[in-house]
Every structure is written in structure tokens, then in C-alpha cells.
């Protein structure tokens, strides 16, 4: 993947994409605002959600051990995966041990993060996405572009064409004469997926939450495909990030109010599925929980950046972000697009690549993301923190070891400019002299900056220089004082 600016330069020229994104994000945004304003205690709920998440992160080791004990006591098996490669090996082995070559999946950000579908395909195992939007993405050989609505970049005409062209290659073909009416598209998907639900012996899921006190996993969804994946297969494998824990059922209640209103703008999700281990004669006979680190404990070691681990994947920040609305999700080069992806991905993967080093800059720092976040993640604060890491380098934790990263390439001019600014701002006389010189030479002010500064003026006008510095104006006008 190229850097975010290069990818966004291409995507912003796609008028169809921008139209699809604008319509979808504005619709979801307006519905969410109405749903949230119904609650008089939304601010207190938001604070409670953040507090619970912070308590989990402070004592994550304790809650993980408690969770493991509860899952095992309920008949499940727990596996620990340090990174994506280990998680893929574990899941592939577990599927092979069943003798099956197909799995059905309920939408999971964690499995997208580790590239599980591709790993299973290399092992000769077909993974079928059952969420409607994920099915559209999979049939279209595409990538998700939104956390909640992965196919948000597609319109109905495009979806109809994908179904007509590709459904038959993956199973039951689309009906003859399929139109772009939502009801017909949903029915085509239902018929196509029902065959897979009834045939599959292995299901793969993620989880929105894990309750440490009971070992219960929770999936909230709107279509019912999750309920089918979680109950019909004989074997269920859940891949979940270690930060998804809540201590108690009472804590879960807070998030079952915060998440639906922030994501789908509903008072509660149509389907809230919970499962605890295995039960004879009810649901899967075998349950495996794969706890995924993949950079999360390294993120936890960063006292500023760790707040990204509060995220409950509601996507509210995407729907208000002016950058995401124009660039789309693919430009972020990660399963986590938008503002949360701009702070989470560089921490999980590091800032060593051109793409990851550019993501903290994929924001206008307007702060709208922080205002809508149901767990009060200060995304602008983390963005600025990560920008400093990109430009200056410094100490970080990588796979549990403290190390020092070098500054990213291409920021030498920025560092030189900041050092020059610091030198001037530390010397009032030099600052005054520079201000007066700039005011007297304002007729020579260029419309565009040269060199690296040209990237800034490609999309902005230089502000006009004042006729005199503020210090001189103050000295001339404030001698007699100001009167109310």
C-alpha cells in the first residue's frame, strides 16, 4: 500500500465513491444523534464506559487469567496467540483437526486484522463470510472500507451486478432477473447463505465483549447471521483481541447501551448472542477461544496511546470525520479505517512503513471524533502523540521489549523547521526582529511555499501577513489602557 496521501489522492477523484460515502455517513450520523439525545444520562454512560475500560487495561493480566479459568470451567479451550501468524496457525490447525474444508464466519475485525481468510485459503480451507456487507466485499474481491458497514462504498446497482456475476461461483446463484431493490438483494443473500449455514460444521467468530467473571462471549449484530454461525456448527472458534474484556455482567450493561446507539443508532441490537463454554445438546459441542495480542500489549505500554484500546468498534468516529468521508476506507490500508484506524494501526503495526507513518497525519484534528466517541478516546491527542513519534522517533515497546525507533524518512525538513522555530521562540529579540521584517516584506509574500512546504499550500492559502506585528500594535494602542 502507498502512503495515505497517495492513496487518498486517487480515491478522492472517484465521484461515485464520494457520493456513496457522503450519503451513507450523513444518514448514519443523523440517526445516531437522535438516538443519543434520547438519553439524559448519555454523558454519564460515556464516562462509565471509559472508566470500565481503563480499569480493565490497568489490570488486564488479572482479568485475562480470570477469563481463561471461567472459559475452561465451562467446557471451552483457550489458546494464546502472540501475533497474527500464531493465531492463523492455531485456527488452521483446529479446523484441520475437524476434517472439514469449509467454515462459516460472522463478521470479525480481529480475523480481518490477521488475514485469517487468506491463511485458511492457503491451507485449502474455504471461509465464507455471512454478514451481508462482508459477503458483498468477498464476492467482489474487495476490501472492507468501514467498520460497521464494510461495503459502504458500494451502491445498489454495484451490489446487484456483483451478485449476478459472482454468487454462482461461491454457491447458490443469484435469482434470474435480480433487481437492485434492497428486499430482492437481501433475499438473494439469504438464499445463498442458508445452504452454507445448514452445511457448515465449523464456525469462526469474533466477539464484541468477553465477560471475565463467567467466561461469556457476546456478539451484537443486526441480521441474524451471527446467531446461525454461533449455534448451528459443531465446532466454534472465536478469535478475540485481549482488550475486549469487561469484568462483570453489570459492566456489560453499560456497553449494551453505548454500542447500539453509537453504531446502528438503535436502542438495542436486534440480535445479542451470548455463549459460555459448551452445553450438551445445545449449540456447538466444541468451543475454542483464541486470545489475540498482535501488538496490544505494546500499545498498552504507551501511557498516551493505550486509550485506543478502549475502542468498542462502533464506527461513530468514521461517520463524522471529514477526511474519511472524502478519502474512503481503502486509503487507510488497514481493516481499521478512519480516525480510530489512524491511531490504532500505527500502534499495532509500528510506524516503520511509509503507510503506517502517514496515518497519524490522516486527520484535520477537528476533534469531532472525540466528541462522538462513546468511550471518550481523545483521538486528536493520540494523533499528535504519534506524529511526534514519526518525526522525532524515541522509545517504544516492541514485542514486550523497550527499544528506540528512528525518525521516519522524509521528515528532516520538518524537524529542522521545528528546531529553528524553537530557537526563535526562545529569543524574544529575534522573534520581534523577524516579525517586523516579515511585515515590511509582506508585498513579497509568495502564494505557494517552496520545497516541502508546497504540500501544505497545495490545498491551503497562505494567510496574509499583517501590516505590523501585534507587539507594535499593542504598544501604539494600549498606552492609555482599555475601558469597559
Amino acid at each position: 500500500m502507498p502512503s495515505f496521501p497517495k492513496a487518498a489522492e486517487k480515491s478522492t477523484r472517484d465521484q461515485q465513491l464520494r457520493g456513496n460515502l457522503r450519503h451513507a455517513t450523513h444518514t448514519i450520523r443523523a440517526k445516531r444523534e437522535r438516538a443519543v439525545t434520547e438519553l439524559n444520562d448519555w454523558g454519564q454512560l460515556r464516562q462509565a464506559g471509559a472508566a470500565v475500560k481503563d480499569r480493565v487495561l490497568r489490570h488486564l493480566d488479572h482479568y485475562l487469567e480470570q477469563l481463561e479459568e471461567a472459559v475452561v470451567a465451562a467446557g471451552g479451550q483457550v489458546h494464546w496467540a502472540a501475533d497474527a501468524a500464531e493465531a492463523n496457525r492455531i485456527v488452521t490447525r483446529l479446523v484441520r483437526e475437524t476434517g472439514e474444508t469449509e467454515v462459516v464466519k460472522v463478521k470479525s475485525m480481529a480475523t480481518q486484522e490477521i488475514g485469517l481468510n487468506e491463511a485458511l485459503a492457503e491451507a485449502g480451507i474455504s471461509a465464507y463470510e455471512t454478514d451481508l456487507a462482508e459477503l458483498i466485499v468477498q464476492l467482489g474481491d474487495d476490501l472492507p472500507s468501514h467498520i460497521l458497514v464494510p461495503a459502504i462504498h458500494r451502491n445498489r446497482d454495484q451490489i446487484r451486478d456483483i451478485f449476478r456475476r459472482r454468487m454462482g461461483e461461491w454457491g447458490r446463484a443469484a435469482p434470474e432477473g435480480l433487481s437492485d431493490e434492497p428486499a430482492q438483494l437481501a433475499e438473494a443473500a439469504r438464499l445463498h447463505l442458508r445452504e452454507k449455514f445448514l452445511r457448515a460444521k465449523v464456525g469462526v467468530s469474533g466477539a464484541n465483549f468477553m465477560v471475565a467473571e463467567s467466561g461469556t462471549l457476546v456478539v451484537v449484530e443486526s441480521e441474524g447471521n451471527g446467531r446461525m454461525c454461533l449455534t448451528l456448527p459443531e465446532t466454534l472458534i472465536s478469535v478475540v483481541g485481549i482488550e475486549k474484556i469487561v469484568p462483570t455482567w453489570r459492566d456489560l450493561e453499560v456497553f449494551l447501551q453505548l454500542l447500539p446507539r453509537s453504531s446502528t443508532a438503535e436502542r438495542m441490537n436486534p440480535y445479542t448472542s451470548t455463549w459460555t463454554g459448551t452445553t450438551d445438546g445445545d449449540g456447538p459441542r466444541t468451543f475454542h477461544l483464541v486470545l489475540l495480542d498482535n501488538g496490544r500489549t505494546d500499545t498498552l505500554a504507551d501511557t498516551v496511546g493505550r486509550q485506543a484500546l478502549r475502542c468498542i468498534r462502533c464506527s461513530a468516529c468514521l461517520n463524522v470525520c471529514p477526511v474519511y468521508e472524502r478519502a474512503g476506507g481503502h486509503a487507510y490500508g488497514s481493516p481499521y479505517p478512519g480516525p480510530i484506524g489512524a491511531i490504532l494501526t500505527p500502534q499495532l503495526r509500528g510506524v516503520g512503513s511509509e503507510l503506517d507513518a502517514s496515518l497519524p497525519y490522516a486527520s484535520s484534528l477537528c476533534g469531532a471524533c472525540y466528541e462522538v466517541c462513546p468511550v471518550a478516546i481523545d483521538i486528536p491527542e493520540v494523533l499528535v502523540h504519534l506524529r511526534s513519534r514519526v518525526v522525532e522517533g524515541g522509545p517504544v515497546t516492541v514485542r514486550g521489549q523497550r527499544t528506540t525507533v528512528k525518525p521516519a524518512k522524509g521528515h528532516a525538513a520538518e524537524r529542522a523547521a521545528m528546531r529553528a522555530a524553537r530557537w526563535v521562540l526562545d529569543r524574544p529579540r529575534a522573534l520581534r526582529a523577524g516579525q517586523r521584517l516579515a511585515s515590511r516584506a509582506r508585498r513579497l509574500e509568495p502564494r505557494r511555499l517552496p520545497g516541502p512546504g508546497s504540500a501544505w499550500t497545495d490545498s491551503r492559502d497562505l494567510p496574509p501577513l499583517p501590516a505590523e506585528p501585534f507587539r507594535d500594535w499593542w504598544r501604539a494602542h494600549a498606552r492609555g489602557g482599555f475601558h469597559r
Side-chain angles (χ1 to χ4, degrees):
M1 280 289 295
S3 66
F4 179 84
K6 293 177 182 177
E9 184 178 5
K10 178 180 179 181
S11 60
T12 52
R13 293 173 180 169
D14 187 335
Q15 295 300 318
Q16 181 68 65
L17 172 66
R18 292 186 63 171
N20 294 348
L21 289 170
R22 185 184 309 110
H23 172 73
T25 56
H26 283 224
T27 300
I28 299 171
R29 183 193 311 175
K31 290 174 62 179
R32 177 205 168 274
E33 186 175 355
R34 290 195 295 270
V36 166
T37 54
E38 290 180 349
L39 298 181
N40 294 328
D41 64 343
W42 180 258
Q44 289 85 350
L45 274 172
R46 188 174 184 242
Q47 293 173 7
V52 170
K53 281 291 188 176
D54 283 344
R55 185 167 81 250
V56 167
L57 295 177
R58 285 195 301 270
H59 307 288
L60 187 58
D61 53 346
H62 164 73
Y63 290 120
L64 284 171
E65 291 177 354
Q66 183 183 11
L67 175 73
E68 181 182 31
E69 291 175 2
V71 170
V72 172
Q77 301 175 47
V78 177
H79 311 263
W80 299 81
D83 54 28
E86 186 173 10
N88 287 332
R89 285 195 300 270
I90 292 171
V91 176
T92 300
R93 173 177 57 81
L94 294 175
V95 176
R96 280 177 167 166
E97 288 174 355
T98 68
E100 297 295 318
T101 58
E102 294 182 345
V103 302
V104 289
K105 292 182 62 196
V106 59
K107 178 183 174 186
S108 163
M109 300 298 296
T111 60
Q112 292 173 12
E113 176 188 329
I114 64 177
L116 179 61
N117 287 10
E118 294 77 10
L120 291 175
E122 290 179 4
I125 301 167
S126 299
Y128 298 114
E129 298 289 352
T130 64
D131 177 83
L132 176 57
E134 290 286 355
L135 174 66
I136 295 166
V137 169
Q138 187 174 49
L139 293 178
D141 292 325
D142 204 348
L143 293 171
S145 62
H146 192 277
I147 290 176
L148 177 67
V149 195
I152 195 172
H153 56 289
R154 298 290 193 183
N155 60 28
R156 296 186 310 184
D157 290 343
Q158 293 171 321
I159 295 169
R160 176 202 59 206
D161 294 342
I162 289 172
F163 281 7
R164 286 177 175 177
R165 187 174 66 253
R166 297 299 306 281
M167 265 189 171
E169 301 175 18
W170 287 75
R172 179 168 179 156
E176 289 291 332
L178 178 66
S179 75
D180 64 352
E181 288 299 314
Q184 288 196 29
L185 295 174
E187 179 66 6
R190 188 186 70 83
L191 295 173
H192 175 84
L193 290 171
R194 182 161 291 275
E195 290 184 351
K196 303 192 184 307
F197 288 136
L198 297 177
R199 186 175 68 233
K201 302 295 183 183
V202 181
V204 175
S205 83
N208 294 98
F209 307 102
M210 301 182 290
V211 183
E213 70 174 352
S214 62
T216 302
L217 275 70
V218 184
V219 162
V220 295
E221 41 106 7
S222 302
E223 300 172 18
N225 63 300
R227 184 69 55 84
M228 302 284 275
C229 286
L230 298 169
T231 58
L232 292 181
E234 296 175 0
T235 299
L236 175 61
I237 304 169
S238 299
V239 183
V240 190
I242 56 175
E243 82 282 13
K244 292 297 189 70
I245 292 180
V246 296
T248 67
W249 277 88
R250 185 174 183 179
D251 297 315
L252 179 64
E253 182 265 343
V254 173
F255 296 100
L256 291 183
Q257 295 186 72
L258 289 171
L259 180 56
R261 292 177 186 269
S262 294
S263 57
T264 56
E266 295 169 300
R267 296 179 180 89
M268 66 181 294
N269 288 89
Y271 295 90
T272 300
S273 300
T274 66
W275 67 102
T276 307
T278 59
T279 302
D280 291 340
D282 183 14
R285 295 198 293 266
T286 306
F287 169 58
H288 298 275
L289 171 60
V290 181
L291 292 170
L292 177 68
D293 187 328
N294 204 37
R296 285 162 174 79
T297 52
D298 293 341
T299 303
L300 185 62
D302 187 327
T303 55
V304 177
R306 69 172 57 153
Q307 58 185 297
L309 297 177
R310 293 184 201 154
C311 178
I312 58 175
R313 310 293 192 265
C314 70
S315 76
C317 61
L318 280 70
N319 300 324
V320 299
C321 177
V323 176
Y324 172 83
E325 180 186 323
R326 288 156 180 80
H330 293 156
Y332 293 82
S334 165
Y336 307 109
I340 187 60
I343 65 169
L344 185 58
T345 302
Q347 295 192 86
L348 296 181
R349 300 195 308 208
V351 293
S353 71
E354 181 184 11
L355 169 63
D356 295 332
S358 70
L359 288 178
Y361 295 88
S363 171
S364 65
L365 299 180
C366 68
C369 49
Y370 169 65
E371 296 299 327
V372 300
C373 178
V375 287
I377 302 171
D378 194 341
I379 294 178
E381 179 188 28
V382 183
L383 286 167
V384 173
H385 172 67
L386 292 176
R387 290 180 186 187
S388 174
R389 180 179 300 173
V390 169
V391 175
E392 301 289 347
V396 297
T397 302
V398 179
R399 296 186 68 86
Q401 301 295 320
R402 292 296 286 177
T403 186
T404 300
V405 297
K406 296 180 179 179
K409 295 180 179 179
H411 292 273
E414 183 177 353
R415 288 194 297 274
M418 291 299 102
R419 283 196 294 268
R422 183 167 61 237
W423 187 91
V424 172
L425 292 172
D426 283 343
R427 293 163 174 80
R429 291 184 179 179
L431 177 61
R432 285 196 295 271
Q435 290 173 334
R436 288 170 179 167
L437 178 61
S439 294
R440 292 169 184 172
R442 62 194 181 96
R443 293 182 179 178
L444 303 177
E445 180 185 2
R447 300 188 63 176
R448 290 174 53 84
L449 292 175
S454 63
W456 197 85
T457 51
D458 279 343
S459 56
R460 304 171 180 85
D461 292 329
L462 279 176
L465 291 170
E468 59 180 341
F470 175 77
R471 292 171 183 270
D472 292 350
W473 180 91
W474 180 266
R475 187 175 294 108
H477 292 81
R479 287 178 179 173
F482 291 93
H483 303 281
R484 293 180 180 179

